[in-house]
Amino acid sequence: MIDEILNFINMNGHSFYIWTAYFIPLTLIFSYILIQRSKLKRMKKYETKI
Amino acid sequence: MLKYFHKYANPGKFLTLALPVRKIMGIVSIGVVTVGLIFALFLSPPDYQQKETVRIMYIHVPAAWMSLMIYAFIFFSSVVFLVWKFPLFLILAKESVTIGVIFTFTALLTGSLWGKPTWGTYWVWDARLTSFLVLFFIYLGLKLIMDSFSYSSKGDYAFGYLALIGGFNLPIIKFSVDWWNTLHQPASILRTGGISISSEMLIPLFLMAIGFLFLFIYILLVSVEINLKKRKIIYYKNKPDN
Amino acid sequence: MLELKNIEVVYNEVVLVIKGLSLEVKEGEIVSLLGANGAGKSTTLKAVSGLLKNEDGEVTKGNICFLDEEITNSNPSEIVKSGLFQVMEGRRCIADMTVLENLRLGAHTRRDRKNINDDIEKVLNYFPRLKERNGLSGYLSGGEQQMLAIGRALMAKPKIILMDEPSMGLSPLLVKEVFGIIKKLNEELGITILLVEQNARLALNVSNRAYIMENGKIVLEGSSKVLANNEDVKEFYLGGSKGERKSFKNLKSYKRRKRWL
Amino acid sequence: MIKLFFLFLLKDFKSYLLDSNKSWFAISFFLLCVLIFPLTYGSSVDLLKKTAIASIWICALFSNLISLESLFKEDYQNGVLLQYRINKIPFSIIVITKCISHWVFTGLPIIFFSPFFLIFLSGSSSDALGLFFSLLFGTPLFSLLGMPIAALTLGATARGPLLIFLSIPFFLPIIIFGVLGVNSFNSGSYSEYYLLCAILSISIVILPYITIKILQESLK
């Protein structure tokens, strides 16, 4: 079981390329989403104040 | 006062229409991307030639499609804004720029990460890569020009026209693999003569593409809502009656 | 002739610069519009001549009538065609053209091409200094450029000229000359002139009537002679008595005026 | 109309000729740029020979970029452009004369001096003709493409850096095809030249029109 997981993570020796290729873009996109969402929430709060 | 509401009457309606769409898109896009990732990482088979590295394709190709599509969208919205002067389309175009930058960067980064194990180099100066880099620069230029005008309406038109002139790059990117012999593999899906790729690979590819598209729509709607609310707040703050 | 009724000017859709300003210029008059820096004088002129849009401004309330036709927010070149010309602040000559070429460009919109040479002759008669200058207008002195700008405005055969600070950056001697010319133009050609000035003494000397602006509002109006003898005006604009600069709001005349509104 | 055109052309030429800063700026900047390459490559003539054409193109690009900033700047700041608009002088004339004078004073000197610079950079003399033609098609494109971008950035804060950043992506294809064209000229293939010609003819039609629109919009 552990071997299988390790094998999967290893990706046939190309682990670095594949995991960075998935990790960095997805973090970028989702962090942008989170930033925008929090901005929207702040805006809504401000709007109700007015 | 009346002029303001006349000018942004459309955006107001747009928001009421956009709210349910945004909520659906938010949930659906996350779901589709998750399923797509599961397919891409676990269920799809490794390529007989490229082995496991082919998995990068499932993020690289959709991101590249998205960056082209977003630019086409910006181009189209700018034209609508310049011709018919609908402010809503300008906001749509402006808010898509940041997302476009992210997707273009993604495509460039994953492309070079894919290039190292398959071509043996992170970067080559071939037509497709160079034209894509130019696209990235144009996106950055759009982002820059948005913030460098003190008189807002002049900046708006500058943005619109820059997006218009930058459109020359799109056909170059699309056909660069056909016109020049390059290292980059030719188009295998959007081409005449059918698809040249196995269906097991197509499923995650399309799932990711659709997921990204929905994500784009979702972020765009959120950003537009922020933009409109900001305008409203600034307007009420500076209202002469206060 | 020119009438501004209760206009309101807003920049960038939010910044209110002029609030409820009304003024009137009758035919054949020289009217001066006085006020401190940032009072909104130039903005008023731009609102009339249609140049506001260039700076993202807009007339949101009230209307501007010229020769009984409404020209609020219309196109600057249309307004020029109807006979209203603005001489803008600062040097606005085409530096790499000669005086004659500059004047000829001023007549570009005109249909009667034949009379242009005669008109250039006529205009130059008012500006004897410019006659001697054959070189490029970029080499002219500030006063001469100001004269050239006025001369170019004359070439368009306007009925009214709006002048934005013709005395700015000129030596006292030249200022006198320019104002002499302005007076002469008004008397001999019958051109109506709306003058925006910071140099109140000179402006009151040449003009028939005057308005005084503060913070985007007209606070005082009347014939120039009356205004020149007004204590408050003396204090603020003519340097009559040395005292701390107060706002017009604290003065009796302003309060009185406010009650009328 | 034709009279007006020549009046303005003369005016633009005068503004370049009388302002020695402006007229000599592009070509002297080009000269300085070209000088840098042999100095930085040291004594290796081989390297210099290989990169001669590319270096000349890079210098042409830079001198064009630098001279773009002054294209509409003075007229805009003095309010002369606004004056033109009020006087209803057609912007087409202004844009076309500006473009011609810009090319004459930045592109043309570079084209004529390029063979000398090629020798100076110890490039092979057989490339001279190819370089001449590639510059002949390329430099007008620099002027044409630079115009709308110079017009776009009028009124922007920090205009210089913005101008350079925005124009680089548009200039890249030209420089790529220009250099490629010289390299394939000797082997008898002219495809890059045809391509440059095609881009040039399209640009001559479209870009002045876009520039006029932008100027009108920025002076509304």
Side-chain angles (χ1 to χ4, degrees), chain B residues 52 165 191:
Chain B
E52 299 283 352
I165 308 169
R191 61 164 203 162

Side-chain angles (χ1 to χ4, degrees), chain B:
Chain B
M1 188 74 180
L2 206 122
K3 179 118 207 295
Y4 176 85
F5 278 116
H6 172 72
K7 211 168 173 184
Y8 295 108
N10 282 352
K13 268 183 205 160
F14 173 81
L15 273 191
T16 52
L17 196 91
L19 198 68
V21 178
R22 193 192 87 200
K23 284 194 169 141
I24 294 167
M25 282 298 164
I27 298 160
V28 171
S29 63
I30 299 287
V32 175
V33 168
T34 319
V35 175
L37 279 177
I38 291 167
F39 263 97
L41 286 172
F42 304 102
L43 299 177
S44 77
D47 194 63
Y48 71 98
Q49 222 178 0
Q50 301 185 355
K51 301 278 160 37
E52 299 283 352
T53 52
V54 81
R55 293 189 199 283
I56 296 177
M57 178 178 79
Y58 306 125
I59 199 154
H60 171 72
V61 174
W65 283 347
M66 281 313 292
S67 44
L68 287 178
M69 200 218 77
I70 292 172
Y71 197 88
F73 177 73
I74 293 172
F75 182 82
F76 167 76
S77 320
S78 307
V79 170
V80 172
F81 168 68
L82 289 176
V83 177
W84 290 290
K85 318 251 182 280
F86 287 143
L88 176 65
F89 281 87
L90 179 78
I91 297 168
L92 282 174
K94 274 189 169 177
E95 296 300 336
S96 335
V97 172
T98 315
I99 315 164
V101 170
I102 292 174
F103 277 120
T104 317
F105 176 74
T106 301
L108 284 171
L109 179 85
T110 53
S112 79
L113 282 170
W114 196 6
K116 183 67 184 168
T118 46
W119 305 335
T121 169
Y122 281 113
W123 187 265
V124 282
W125 290 99
D126 81 335
R128 171 60 71 91
L129 274 68
T130 311
S131 54
F132 224 88
L133 194 66
V134 169
L135 180 73
F136 186 59
F137 281 136
I138 291 173
Y139 267 122
L140 287 184
L142 284 174
K143 189 115 187 70
L144 260 181
I145 208 165
M146 286 199 301
D147 309 327
S148 50
F149 278 88
S150 42
Y151 289 130
S152 54
S153 81
K154 269 180 204 170
D156 293 348
Y157 283 100
F159 176 88
Y161 279 108
L162 185 68
L164 193 73
I165 308 169
F168 87 98
N169 198 25
L170 285 187
I172 294 183
I173 294 174
K174 176 75 188 76
F175 297 112
S176 56
V177 275
D178 304 329
W179 290 348
W180 292 281
N181 297 323
T182 65
L183 263 179
H184 199 281
Q185 48 195 322
S188 45
I189 291 176
L190 295 172
R191 61 164 203 162
T192 47
I195 295 165
S196 66
I197 196 167
S198 79
S199 61
E200 280 166 312
M201 285 175 164
L202 267 182
I203 296 167
L205 196 59
F206 276 124
L207 276 177
M208 287 300 279
I210 292 165
F212 277 171
L213 179 66
F214 286 175
L215 265 186
F216 163 65
I217 295 170
Y218 173 69
I219 313 174
L220 181 63
L221 291 179
V222 172
S223 307
V224 168
E225 207 173 326
I226 291 171
N227 193 313
L228 290 174
K229 283 207 161 50
K230 214 190 250 165
R231 273 161 193 261
K232 212 167 153 189
I233 288 168
I234 290 173
Y235 178 76
Y236 278 112
K237 242 183 173 176
N238 295 301
K239 209 166 67 169
D241 309 343
N242 280 0

Side-chain angles (χ1 to χ4, degrees), chain C residues 51-55 75-78 80-81 85-86 88 91-94 96-98 101 105-106 108-109 136 139 152, chain D residues 4 7-8 10-12 14-16 18 22 74 76-80 82-90 218-220:
Chain C
L51 295 178
L52 265 185
K53 261 190 195 160
N54 188 38
E55 287 161 23
N75 207 337
S77 47
E78 295 295 316
V80 168
K81 231 184 185 173
F85 204 100
Q86 183 182 355
M88 277 175 278
R91 41 171 285 204
R92 303 275 170 148
C93 300
I94 299 149
D96 299 307
M97 285 189 179
T98 61
E101 284 166 339
L105 271 191
H108 174 72
T109 36
L136 299 183
Y139 298 129
R152 209 178 44 203
Chain D
L4 207 62
L7 181 69
F8 271 92
L10 204 69
K11 179 227 144 188
D12 283 339
K14 267 190 218 158
S15 84
Y16 271 102
L18 290 173
K22 243 169 135 185
E74 245 172 65
Y76 181 80
Q77 281 176 347
N78 293 347
V80 173
L82 197 64
Q83 204 67 255
Y84 291 154
R85 184 169 164 72
I86 292 168
N87 277 334
K88 276 204 165 169
I89 290 160
S218 74
L219 293 171
K220 203 165 184 181

